[in-house]
Amino acid sequence: MNPTLRKLLRKGTPEPVDIDALIGELDFPLVDGPDVTFVFRGTADEVYLRCWISGLDTAQPFQALPGTDLWATTIELPKGSRIEYKFEVIAGGARELILDPLNDVIAHDPFGSNSVCQGYGYVRPEWTLHDPLARVGSLQSLRVDSSVFQESREVQVYLPATFRSNRRYPLLIVHDGVDYLRYADLKAVLDNLTHRLEIPSIIAALIQSPDRLKEYGGDDRHAAFLVDDLLPFMNEAYPLLGGADARCLMGASFGGVAALHAAWRFPEQFGSLLLQSGSFAFSDLGRHRRGPVFDPVVRFMNEFREHPGRPADRIFMSCGMYESLIYENRSLVPHLQAQGMELRFEEARDAHNWENWRDRLRIGLSWLMPGPAWMVYE
Amino acid sequence: MPLRLLLGPQRPIVNLDSAVARSGIGDGPIGVISAAWQEAEGDIDDVQRLVLNPLFDLRIYERTEELFAADKRLHEAYRLRQDRLKEQQRLYRMRLRHLMVAARQTLRTEGEPAVVAAERRHAISQLRALDRHHLGQIEKVHARFDSVFTADSHALLSEYTAAIEDELSRFKTVLITGGNVVVLMNRLRLFGLDRLLQRKNIIAWSAGAMVLCDHIVLFHDRMPQGRRDPEIVDEGMGLLPSIVLLPDAKGRLRAKDLVRVKLLSRRFAPASCMTLDNGSLLLFESETLRDSEAAKRITRNGSFKRVRAA
């Protein structure tokens, strides 16, 4: 048991006022080196920790602390870990998934929000936070007429603070771009990394699919949209550097699949790929068990693994160690390396979430698109 | 004989004022080249507050932008040259990486001393051969551009160059700031300043000092994406032959990685690798070292020795 809770219970049943005082004083969950104790206060029949991370039970039961309305459970988290979680509270036959009422740290994603547990040693990187010294870029909202989808699609375009029409810029195309802005602070990250000269001034096209599970899952139409609609549009509208080496495709989860698939379908169009926690499901034998939405992904990945070609010159991949996709990501590495592509693979003690992807942007972007810091001697 | 006063980083200003006072450069007006700051060119108020001599920025970066806006053909040719140089650099880097790995491995390996020493020498000679080849390729790219766009044959460029030369004639001393060393060298070369600066006293820090050497060596062991192998990026002005200057070496070099440091020194020998950290100073009279403070030279064994004037 956590030492603080043990101390509370040592003198017998604590008074509610003592519990109130304890809760007021401490940050939850209780992090004691690698041991992390989650605490729930309230009336319940059962309480579970739900954190959907690979390696732990899906539902970790809480123990009721005798004589109190407190429930607690302890897990071990290695240094630098970060996980997202909810509590499952069962009371009077009703089952409810709730955020941790004692923890204000919350991460958001398109499906809602989760409580965040920052294990010991985890510090949010300062370059993900707004830096008042960094000059801020701008966002423009435009519409691309898509011959492929027979409709116009919105694209948000990030322009660097020092944008000048007589310069030429590399292009970064970001799948789920609006989500990256909202949940992974992409704009602040681009502003900061540009300000620190860790990446060059770039133009980023942030795209968002209305049906991402279909279009991002290895769909030829999406790849054609990027090459036949978006690239000509961006080349027309902005001063971009020519050549594949000045174009990078990026995406997370299904967005990673979409990026890899488009580069595979149109080799020599994109010089580099930034793939975060790609949903690279495959099956060596028999059917996969990830559900029908993964059918096209598995078809593509099986074909890709058979005939990888050379989708790009440089690929940066990252994946959380606590994701079920870590196996698929790790196993893709030798396939890509065998094609002579320059590849960097980073693992993090994190799971399948936007903050993981945010925290890996510096290393990924600066490796794929190194900035002029190298040339600047103040 | 012209003086060359070289300093370490001056953002914020560390020893510029005291170094200028001690150099014997005198109290006349000074022309400033702050093109390495690009859009922030001319932002020299803090320098002027500390240096007693009146300062006049020569607006080299701004003039280049004006010239490019007025002369699209020149701009396009310049871009093309830059694209070629980038491609050349990419190919050089591709080959360099493997030779650096091999050279480091030979420096780390143990075995029959005479056999290992011979392989080390050869590994380093291959690196030097690649560096020489790269410099030769860079020279060709520049020569191709220069043969078309000379100040004599190109009216507008000639006009700008003459205006700069005219302004420059007012100054015995020129101060070159730090900043983006590649941008700086490109701008200096465009207006033939490498030739015009030869007889001037020069005060320069960081990038400004690097361009005075035979060639410009980029280095950084602490990039966010990891350490990078030092690479030659361009020819310098050659005003300080046989020296490779390493500004902010404390911040950029992993000095404790003996093999890396040793390799840096041996690869560029017989040129001497000298650090220019905060508070460092090197004063040359023409090519002779007259004064020094806190600057260090990297020996072939990877140790750092204080640079001393004769």
Side-chain angles (χ1 to χ4, degrees):
Chain A
M1 184 185 289
N2 176 276
T4 309
L5 296 178
R6 196 182 310 128
K7 194 173 163 192
L8 178 75
L9 299 173
R10 192 178 294 154
K11 296 175 192 163
T13 305
E15 294 296 326
V17 66
D18 296 329
I19 298 175
D20 290 343
L22 182 91
I23 284 174
E25 277 170 20
L26 299 173
D27 290 327
F28 291 88
L30 301 168
V31 179
D32 182 23
D35 294 328
V36 179
T37 302
F38 297 83
V39 176
F40 172 72
R41 188 181 191 193
T43 308
D45 300 320
E46 291 170 76
V47 181
Y48 293 92
L49 174 69
R50 302 292 299 260
C51 50
W52 305 282
I53 65 174
S54 189
L56 289 180
D57 291 337
T58 310
Q60 180 100 0
F62 279 59
Q63 304 296 320
L65 303 187
T68 73
D69 55 355
L70 294 175
W71 298 71
T73 189
T74 299
I75 63 170
E76 194 180 319
L77 269 187
K79 186 179 180 184
S81 297
R82 208 195 67 89
I83 61 167
E84 297 186 9
Y85 66 97
K86 278 194 172 83
F87 291 166
E88 182 179 19
V89 180
I90 301 170
R95 187 181 293 262
E96 198 183 4
L97 272 178
I98 62 167
L99 295 172
D100 180 348
L102 301 179
N103 181 3
D104 293 334
V105 185
I106 291 168
H108 301 276
D109 65 29
F111 308 104
S113 50
N114 289 313
S115 295
V116 177
C117 167
Q118 297 173 344
Y120 83 112
Y122 174 85
V123 180
R124 178 173 172 173
E126 90 284 3
W127 50 265
T128 66
L129 301 163
H130 171 67
D131 175 355
L133 295 177
R135 293 174 66 187
V136 294
S138 58
L139 286 170
Q140 300 181 339
S141 185
L142 304 168
R143 294 200 76 85
V144 187
D145 288 327
S146 169
S147 57
V148 177
F149 290 116
Q150 295 290 303
E151 62 182 17
S152 82
R153 290 273 172 106
E154 185 180 3
V155 54
Q156 294 229 33
V157 178
Y158 168 88
L159 298 180
T162 54
F163 175 78
R164 287 184 178 194
S165 58
N166 63 347
R167 297 281 162 77
R168 293 174 303 161
Y169 298 89
L171 175 66
L172 173 69
I173 297 176
V174 186
H175 290 87
D176 297 311
V178 177
D179 291 337
Y180 262 104
L181 286 178
R182 196 174 296 156
Y183 306 118
D185 300 297
L186 180 64
K187 185 166 178 300
V189 169
L190 292 178
D191 288 341
N192 291 344
L193 297 184
T194 309
H195 171 70
R196 292 161 175 239
L197 308 174
E198 292 179 3
I199 60 170
S201 292
I202 59 168
I203 291 177
L206 314 175
I207 56 172
Q208 196 80 17
S209 164
D211 188 2
R212 70 185 293 281
L213 290 181
K214 190 170 179 189
E215 292 179 3
Y216 285 1
D219 186 330
D220 284 350
R221 292 174 311 155
H222 173 71
F225 165 71
L226 292 180
V227 173
D228 296 337
D229 296 333
L230 185 66
L231 280 183
F233 172 83
M234 292 299 295
N235 274 317
E236 181 70 25
Y238 298 99
L240 298 175
L241 284 164
D245 60 340
R247 289 196 287 265
C248 176
L249 268 181
M250 159 177 157
S253 193
F254 264 57
V257 176
L260 180 64
H261 174 262
W264 178 70
R265 289 287 290 114
F266 294 95
E268 297 179 13
Q269 284 291 337
F270 304 99
S272 56
L273 304 178
L274 200 164
L275 310 174
Q276 302 196 291
S277 305
S279 304
F280 302 131
F282 64 94
S283 60
D284 283 329
L285 181 67
R287 274 194 58 77
H288 68 93
R289 292 179 184 168
R290 286 189 176 269
V293 76
F294 272 85
D295 285 346
V297 175
V298 171
R299 268 198 302 277
F300 158 57
M301 288 307 300
N302 286 352
E303 196 178 345
F304 177 80
R305 290 165 67 89
E306 195 70 29
H307 306 288
R310 193 183 163 90
D313 291 330
R314 306 188 87 207
I315 300 182
F316 178 90
M317 289 173 61
S318 68
C319 192
M321 288 180 200
Y322 307 147
E323 300 185 46
S324 65
L325 286 163
I326 189 71
Y327 166 75
E328 283 84 350
N329 276 265
R330 282 175 180 157
S331 70
L332 190 58
V333 169
H335 279 269
L336 297 173
Q337 282 172 329
Q339 302 311 306
M341 286 176 277
E342 207 179 332
L343 184 119
R344 182 154 177 173
F345 179 52
E346 293 277 328
E347 295 188 3
R349 291 197 175 278
D350 212 319
H352 197 78
N353 60 62
W354 286 96
E355 297 191 9
N356 174 14
W357 303 331
R358 177 198 66 197
D359 289 0
R360 312 274 90 73
L361 286 175
R362 183 189 190 203
I363 181 79
L365 288 172
S366 66
W367 186 72
L368 291 172
M369 308 169 103
W374 169 241
M375 301 176 194
V376 174
Y377 300 76
E378 287 291 2
Chain B
M1 296 291 253
L3 296 173
R4 319 292 190 207
L5 175 62
L6 315 177
L7 305 171
Q10 300 293 326
R11 278 286 183 225
I13 290 173
V14 181
N15 62 337
L16 175 65
D17 45 345
S18 60
V20 171
R22 128 183 194 181
S23 67
I25 270 173
D27 55 4
I30 295 177
V32 176
I33 296 174
S34 59
W37 291 343
Q38 299 170 267
E39 283 82 4
E41 179 183 56
D43 188 6
I44 53 173
D45 291 355
D46 56 340
V47 184
Q48 183 63 90
R49 271 196 293 275
L50 291 167
V51 177
L52 298 173
N53 312 53
L55 302 180
F56 298 91
D57 199 288
L58 293 164
R59 300 190 303 108
I60 300 296
Y61 186 82
E62 191 187 325
R63 286 178 207 250
T64 314
E65 298 296 292
E66 281 171 16
L67 176 59
F68 285 161
D71 190 335
K72 300 289 180 209
R73 195 174 140 243
L74 173 67
H75 194 194
E76 196 45 47
Y78 180 87
R79 275 183 169 174
L80 194 64
R81 184 191 77 177
Q82 292 311 107
D83 287 346
R84 284 190 179 133
L85 288 171
K86 276 182 198 159
E87 179 64 358
Q88 204 63 58
Q89 201 68 19
R90 184 182 72 82
L91 295 167
Y92 163 65
R93 196 176 294 138
M94 194 183 281
R95 298 176 61 195
L96 179 65
R97 190 183 330 139
H98 299 286
L99 290 183
M100 286 294 284
V101 169
R104 278 196 296 268
Q105 282 176 340
T106 61
L107 284 172
R108 285 198 180 97
T109 197
E110 290 175 3
E112 178 63 40
V115 177
V116 172
E119 294 311 307
R120 283 177 183 161
R121 277 197 300 276
H122 191 248
I124 290 167
S125 74
Q126 285 185 312
L127 272 171
R128 288 178 184 162
L130 176 63
D131 288 339
R132 276 197 303 277
H133 168 77
H134 183 52
L135 276 165
Q137 298 301 100
I138 290 172
E139 206 179 320
K140 281 183 197 163
V141 177
H142 285 315
R144 200 176 309 163
F145 179 86
D146 293 345
S147 66
V148 180
F149 293 94
T150 59
D152 294 337
S153 69
H154 207 72
L156 203 53
L157 179 60
S158 170
E159 203 178 291
Y160 271 78
T161 305
I164 292 169
E165 189 168 358
D166 185 47
E167 268 191 47
L168 207 55
S169 65
R170 293 165 48 206
F171 309 110
K172 272 188 181 167
T173 302
V174 172
L175 183 151
I176 311 176
T177 70
N180 188 316
V181 69
V182 175
V183 169
L184 174 62
M185 193 60 224
N186 284 338
R187 300 309 197 254
L188 294 176
R189 181 179 288 112
L190 183 67
F191 296 118
L193 280 159
D194 39 353
R195 177 179 50 83
L196 298 176
L197 291 175
Q198 278 180 6
R199 291 167 183 274
K200 306 285 181 189
N201 293 327
I202 297 175
I203 304 164
W205 72 74
S206 295
M210 292 167 86
V211 298
L212 305 183
C213 301
D214 288 331
H215 42 255
I216 299 166
V217 177
L218 303 180
F219 67 102
H220 207 320
D221 290 347
R222 293 193 170 93
M223 299 286 285
Q225 66 272 31
R227 57 193 73 179
R228 285 184 68 160
D229 292 321
E231 58 187 61
I232 292 177
V233 71
D234 204 347
E235 298 165 313
M237 291 200 277
L239 301 183
L240 293 169
S242 285
I243 294 177
V244 173
L245 287 173
L246 307 170
D248 190 26
K250 275 187 186 156
R252 286 179 175 248
L253 274 186
R254 287 182 187 272
K256 288 182 182 167
D257 187 335
L258 203 60
V259 167
R260 287 182 74 82
V261 178
K262 204 187 287 187
L263 182 56
L264 178 67
S265 162
R266 292 188 190 183
R267 175 179 162 195
F268 294 112
S272 208
C273 292
M274 293 186 188
T275 67
L276 275 179
D277 281 303
N278 277 341
S280 295
L281 171 160
L282 288 169
L283 177 66
F284 290 86
E285 188 175 345
S286 189
E287 293 170 17
T288 309
L289 184 65
R290 293 290 181 217
D291 192 6
S292 73
E293 188 169 305
K296 291 178 179 168
R297 179 177 58 84
I298 305 178
T299 70
R300 60 176 274 108
N301 294 322
S303 60
F304 289 74
K305 297 276 185 212
R306 196 156 275 234
V307 179
R308 294 188 194 282

